Amino acid sequence: MPTPLETTTGAAATALLGLGVYRPARVVTNDEVAGPIDSSDEWIRTRSGIRTRRFAAADENVITMGIAAGRDALASAGIEPGQVGTVIVATSTHWYQTPGCAPQIAVGLGMASPAAFDISAGCSGFCHAVALASDLVRGGTARYVLVIGVEKLTDTLDATDRSTAFLFADGAGAVVVGPSDEVRIGPTVWGSDGSQKDAITQTKDTLSYIDDPDPGKVRPYLQMSGSAVFRWAAHSLEKVCREALDRAGVAPDQLDAMIPHQANGRIIEIMAKVLGLRPDCAVANDIETSGNTSAASVPLAMEELLRTGKARPGDTALLIAFGAGLTYAAQVVTLPELAA
């Protein structure tokens, strides 16, 4: 007869308790990236909605940027580093298979011995990490979880690739997930479509690059079929958004804000239109000045809405993201406080 085991239970409900971001100092215009791809400011703005983006400095990486965003998130939540039980980092641009960057960020923030791990779900990684964090708190595994989405995508770009060179950028965003008296993080709707694995990928795998004897070999770069991603998003995301709203018990006209992954300005416009949002519903468009920062884009866009007053702490917002895999995730949340 098996020995009976005990289990843990946690909070009945969870919330985003604080938000912090890191935006690199260097602002890069369309004119700066247009030359190598034989393009123009007008072509880039029309195709993507981007006017500028941020590029990290040579001495910045996902660890340094993650620490900066995490520190501000903890401050805005009023949580000490020692209170955090788990750190989850969503990234695709940490250049070590092992060790992960999450334990290093935890040490950099002065934490003692939290569980800390990275996840790779492409641009939807932040929404995946929020889902995991909420479940950890409700399950009693951790009381407070620091979630970070961070990317240094400029390290992955071929400056002559017309599909990626103008689109991607760098940055970090973080939230603290913890217990709440009321439900402030709704159920997550997530999934994947592996049949679309080639829509966003590398030009070659790392092992093939290492084993290639050609002294003039070209290292792996990020590559994307923009048309395939656009078609998939336009066809599939409305269902995901509506299911997340239904599971949270929220009607589209009850939303105060929609914060989609900042993939493309045209995709954002389509999503807002098909959902029939209120005219005064704030729709994040941080891609205009930040570019596509993959796993960092949702928290960065959230911060921009709150910082500019387009949305306020306590507002009800839909988060939706999709990315390499293809993966996707969505949840309705109550917006947190910003770091002072």
Side-chain angles (χ1 to χ4, degrees), residues 290-338:
S290 296
N292 180 341
T293 54
S294 187
S297 77
V298 169
L300 284 170
M302 186 187 302
E303 186 268 348
E304 192 273 340
L305 285 184
L306 292 168
R307 173 170 43 82
T308 59
K310 298 169 188 172
R312 296 172 298 179
D315 281 354
T316 300
L318 171 66
L319 312 183
I320 170 69
F322 59 97
L326 290 173
T327 64
Y328 58 88
Q331 60 261 118
V332 178
V333 304
T334 300
L335 294 180
E337 294 288 341
L338 253 186

Side-chain angles (χ1 to χ4, degrees), residues 46-58:
T46 301
R47 186 177 180 85
S48 67
I50 299 173
R51 296 179 181 272
T52 61
R53 76 281 289 144
R54 301 290 185 105
F55 282 6

Side-chain angles (χ1 to χ4, degrees), residues 30-117:
N30 286 339
D31 290 334
E32 187 172 342
V33 299
I37 59 173
D38 190 24
S39 186
S40 67
D41 171 66
E42 181 182 8
W43 183 87
I44 293 172
R45 284 189 287 109
T46 301
R47 186 177 180 85
S48 67
I50 299 173
R51 296 179 181 272
T52 61
R53 76 281 289 144
R54 301 290 185 105
F55 282 6
D59 61 350
E60 293 180 312
N61 55 43
V62 294
I63 295 171
T64 62
M65 292 190 290
I67 289 171
R71 183 179 294 116
D72 281 354
L74 292 170
S76 70
I79 300 298
E80 295 296 325
Q83 294 178 269
V84 174
T86 306
V87 178
I88 306 175
V89 177
T91 187
S92 300
T93 49
H94 177 54
W95 297 117
Y96 288 83
Q97 288 288 98
T98 189
C101 67
Q104 298 173 72
I105 289 174
V107 167
L109 289 170
M111 297 177 182
S113 56
F117 55 91

Side-chain angles (χ1 to χ4, degrees), residues 189 229-247 250 252 255 258 260 267-277 318-322 328-332:
V189 175
V229 175
F230 188 93
R231 287 194 303 270
W232 185 90
H235 178 264
S236 304
L237 289 183
E238 179 185 1
K239 179 181 177 182
V240 177
C241 291
R242 293 195 182 280
E243 186 175 350
L245 289 167
D246 287 346
R247 294 191 65 190
V250 174
L255 284 175
M258 183 178 77
I267 293 176
I268 293 171
E269 290 176 2
I270 290 171
M271 291 171 62
K273 183 176 180 179
V274 299
L275 288 176
L277 304 178
L318 171 66
L319 312 183
I320 170 69
F322 59 97
Y328 58 88
Q331 60 261 118
V332 178

Side-chain angles (χ1 to χ4, degrees), residues 124-326:
S124 64
F126 177 80
C127 291
H128 278 68
V130 168
L132 293 174
S134 179
D135 286 353
L136 287 173
V137 174
R138 291 193 300 113
T141 304
R143 183 165 177 81
Y144 297 106
V145 180
L146 178 63
V147 170
I148 301 172
V150 57
E151 303 285 8
K152 190 178 181 183
L153 288 156
T154 48
D155 284 342
T156 73
L157 299 181
D158 175 356
T160 65
D161 182 353
R162 284 176 63 88
S163 71
T164 60
F166 68 93
L167 188 58
F168 292 101
D170 307 327
V175 293
V176 175
V177 175
S180 173
D181 292 335
E182 297 181 352
V183 176
R184 301 298 186 190
I185 300 175
T188 297
V189 175
W190 59 1
S192 65
D193 182 0
S195 69
Q196 299 294 319
K197 66 181 178 62
D198 294 327
I200 307 171
T201 185
Q202 293 180 181
T203 51
K204 64 184 75 172
D205 68 82
T206 305
L207 191 59
S208 296
Y209 171 71
I210 294 171
D211 290 343
D212 185 352
D214 185 352
K217 62 187 178 183
V218 178
R219 70 177 181 85
Y221 287 111
L222 180 67
Q223 66 179 3
M224 181 178 70
S225 172
S227 59
V229 175
F230 188 93
R231 287 194 303 270
W232 185 90
H235 178 264
S236 304
L237 289 183
E238 179 185 1
K239 179 181 177 182
V240 177
C241 291
R242 293 195 182 280
E243 186 175 350
L245 289 167
D246 287 346
R247 294 191 65 190
V250 174
D253 62 5
Q254 292 178 296
L255 284 175
D256 300 305
M258 183 178 77
I259 307 176
H261 162 50
Q262 304 293 289
N264 182 291
R266 292 185 295 163
I267 293 176
I268 293 171
E269 290 176 2
I270 290 171
M271 291 171 62
K273 183 176 180 179
V274 299
L275 288 176
L277 304 178
R278 297 195 321 260
D280 64 338
C281 179
V283 179
N285 191 39
D286 190 49
I287 192 172
E288 184 175 7
T289 56
S290 296
N292 180 341
T293 54
S294 187
S297 77
V298 169
L300 284 170
M302 186 187 302
E303 186 268 348
E304 192 273 340
L305 285 184
L306 292 168
R307 173 170 43 82
T308 59
K310 298 169 188 172
R312 296 172 298 179
D315 281 354
T316 300
L318 171 66
L319 312 183
I320 170 69
F322 59 97
L326 290 173

